[in-house]
Amino acid sequence: MEHSSPALSRALHYLVNQIVNKASVLPAINELARAAQVSERTMWEAARSLRQRGILDTQYGRGLIVRPDAAAKCRQLIDVTAPAEPSGPDEKRAFAWQKTAGMIRRNLLNGTHPPHMPLPSIKELCNIYHISRTTMHKALAQVASQGLLTPAGKTYTPSAPSIATTGKRIVFISLADVERRLMLQGPAESFYKATEEHCLRSNIKLDICGYYYDVNWEETRAIHFVDANRDICDFPQSEAILGYIFLVGTMREAEEYIMRILSHISKPIAVLDLAGGWKAPWYLQRPHVQLFESAISSQAGQDIAGYLHALGHRRVAYISPFHRAAWSRNRLHGLRQAYNLSGYTNAIEPFTADNPPAIHSEYQSRGRQRGRYADLATFYKHWSQHHEPDYHAVLDPLFQLQIPRQILAQAEFRRYVRSLFDNALQQKNSTAWVLANDEVAIAALDYLQEKKIRVPGELSVCSFDDSPVSMRRGLTSYNFNMRAYAHAMQTFIVNRRAMPVRPSRRAIEIEGMVVERVSSGPVRL
């Protein structure tokens, strides 16, 4: 069992001893932390480690439950988890450089040390990792020997692809809408931009392959492919293609069909699941396929909960109009789980809807009807006749695109979520709102401004996705680290040996981070 700190080792050892001593239900995380003399965050990490090993379980309202076969497993772990200090200087140095090498590998994966950029100087690295120069040199040499770092003067840089990439291509596959445009919103858009940037830096051309299904999909099962110019095309296959990046969503049958095509090509395939729900699909058994998961686990909710808990928030509303989706339910589960483990079993109050319009185009369709777009178009036709022809030519496409797609669709969406906001506002003791994503959060900020509720003075607001609009509006949001995913997936395709973690039949998930801005703050009594 690997530990990242003596405090975590102490927390694990304390939990293991409690279980061996026949505890069936453990106290709340805050009580366990006090008893083991560690922070609540460290104790929560220890509990999560034991849950992953099948030793602990969680039940809503009861906290940490010891599984029936846990005692036998824990007896095997007593010596492993014992936080014994190294017996001498040599052993202590060995422990330090191995631990540091592991931390560097993780930081290469999650983007703390960005690709294509030199690592900080040895002196700065020593300050970052709190070790001596000798220990740091040994840790860096170890990581470099694994092909992850390359010496560059007095420091190192993340290793570049070991093959010639000139003239090579990677194909980016994603769902397209009825107008043959890629459907990229939120994390998907951030991921595409990061992938484009990484390919540009590596001198690799990124080809676009959109797919959309026939309107009579239930009968025909027909899928069409389109290129970057939105022209119908064959599925791209050539010797110049290094591999494929496949962004999957909710069209499971269509995506399984595409995976069957890809499985016969025998090129590396990096699959990113942003919707959740794939249970060990058959193609993961193939060595040239790797699944990555982002934005769908409960970890993001746990991190937001930990952030709000540290600010003193003990009553939090979770608002989601997308609760039919697994990612929304997982975020709520993460919020509840973290607060339950801290001893606050009723801290999270959900305000959710299970049956919203499934896709953005449905909001457009409803917005056209409710906003009486036909009447508006008739008025526009008469109004525009009074303008000069060149101005008319510029205005026409803007009216046809912006009004139905953005204004009426956004009005319909906000009308839909407003009832959730009304219900949440009636919960007078809530000190923070957590919204399902940034789109809902921006609507919430405008709603609270309308209601003259001060943010964060009276109510803190947090969200997920860390989209560009969240930065402009000062919204605290969870960043899913799409840049690190883009780098890891490209590395899997170009040079699997240079991945900071070994490819696995299990999905790879990269940790994100809470980006704090002015919409959140401490509870003000």
Side-chain angles (χ1 to χ4, degrees), residues 383-434:
W383 175 76
S384 61
Q385 291 175 351
H386 300 286
H387 294 85
E388 297 177 1
D390 57 342
Y391 186 73
H392 190 282
V394 172
L395 198 59
D396 273 358
L398 291 175
F399 175 83
Q400 294 169 12
L401 292 174
Q402 301 290 334
I403 295 295
R405 278 193 192 162
Q406 296 187 16
I407 297 177
L408 294 180
Q410 189 61 220
E412 180 65 17
F413 171 75
R414 292 195 173 202
R415 175 184 173 275
Y416 184 85
V417 300
R418 191 178 183 88
S419 61
L420 298 179
F421 298 157
D422 288 339
N423 292 337
L425 197 59
Q426 293 176 10
Q427 190 73 22
K428 299 296 184 181
N429 57 352
S430 292
T431 60
W433 280 10
V434 176

Side-chain angles (χ1 to χ4, degrees), residues 103-119:
M103 294 172 66
I104 292 172
R105 283 193 294 270
R106 287 194 296 273
N107 287 337
L108 286 170
L109 177 66
N110 64 32
T112 301
H113 299 309
H116 312 291
M117 292 184 63
L119 269 62

Side-chain angles (χ1 to χ4, degrees), residues 171-182:
V171 179
F172 186 96
I173 307 170
S174 179
L175 181 66
D177 61 19
V178 293
E179 296 180 348
R180 304 179 186 175
R181 293 183 174 88
L182 294 188

Side-chain angles (χ1 to χ4, degrees), residues 52-64:
Q52 291 172 345
R53 288 176 167 266
I55 293 172
L56 293 178
D57 202 354
T58 56
Q59 292 183 11
Y60 181 67
R62 294 188 65 193
L64 290 171

Side-chain angles (χ1 to χ4, degrees), residues 467-501:
S467 59
V469 69
S470 68
M471 179 183 64
R472 293 194 295 270
R473 294 294 299 269
L475 173 65
T476 294
S477 187
Y478 189 85
N479 185 307
F480 287 100
N481 207 353
M482 286 299 143
R483 293 176 65 86
Y485 276 98
H487 172 61
M489 293 174 75
Q490 181 191 313
T491 302
F492 174 80
I493 290 172
V494 176
N495 185 14
R496 272 179 277 180
R497 293 182 61 186
M499 284 195 69
V501 296

Side-chain angles (χ1 to χ4, degrees), residues 54-113:
I55 293 172
L56 293 178
D57 202 354
T58 56
Q59 292 183 11
Y60 181 67
R62 294 188 65 193
L64 290 171
I65 307 299
V66 179
R67 296 174 68 95
D69 58 345
K73 293 181 180 179
C74 284
R75 290 190 188 97
Q76 302 173 7
L77 296 176
I78 287 180
D79 293 335
V80 179
T81 58
E85 291 296 323
S87 59
D90 293 338
E91 185 180 346
K92 186 173 182 179
R93 280 194 295 271
F95 175 82
W97 75 259
Q98 290 170 345
K99 172 185 170 184
T100 304
M103 294 172 66
I104 292 172
R105 283 193 294 270
R106 287 194 296 273
N107 287 337
L108 286 170
L109 177 66
N110 64 32
T112 301
H113 299 309

Side-chain angles (χ1 to χ4, degrees), residues 13-49:
H13 191 61
Y14 180 82
L15 289 178
V16 166
N17 274 292
Q18 291 292 306
I19 295 168
V20 169
N21 290 330
K22 304 189 183 305
S24 59
V25 179
L26 295 177
I29 285 291
N30 54 352
E31 297 178 32
L32 290 168
R34 283 195 298 269
Q37 297 183 339
V38 297
S39 68
E40 290 185 20
R41 180 70 178 176
T42 300
M43 182 56 72
W44 179 82
E45 290 285 350
R48 184 174 67 167
S49 176

Side-chain angles (χ1 to χ4, degrees), residues 282-299:
W282 58 270
Y283 57 79
L284 280 185
Q285 306 304 315
R286 300 175 182 265
H288 64 289
V289 179
Q290 178 62 58
L291 176 64
F292 295 77
E293 288 183 344
S294 176
I296 60 177
S297 76
S298 61
Q299 184 60 49

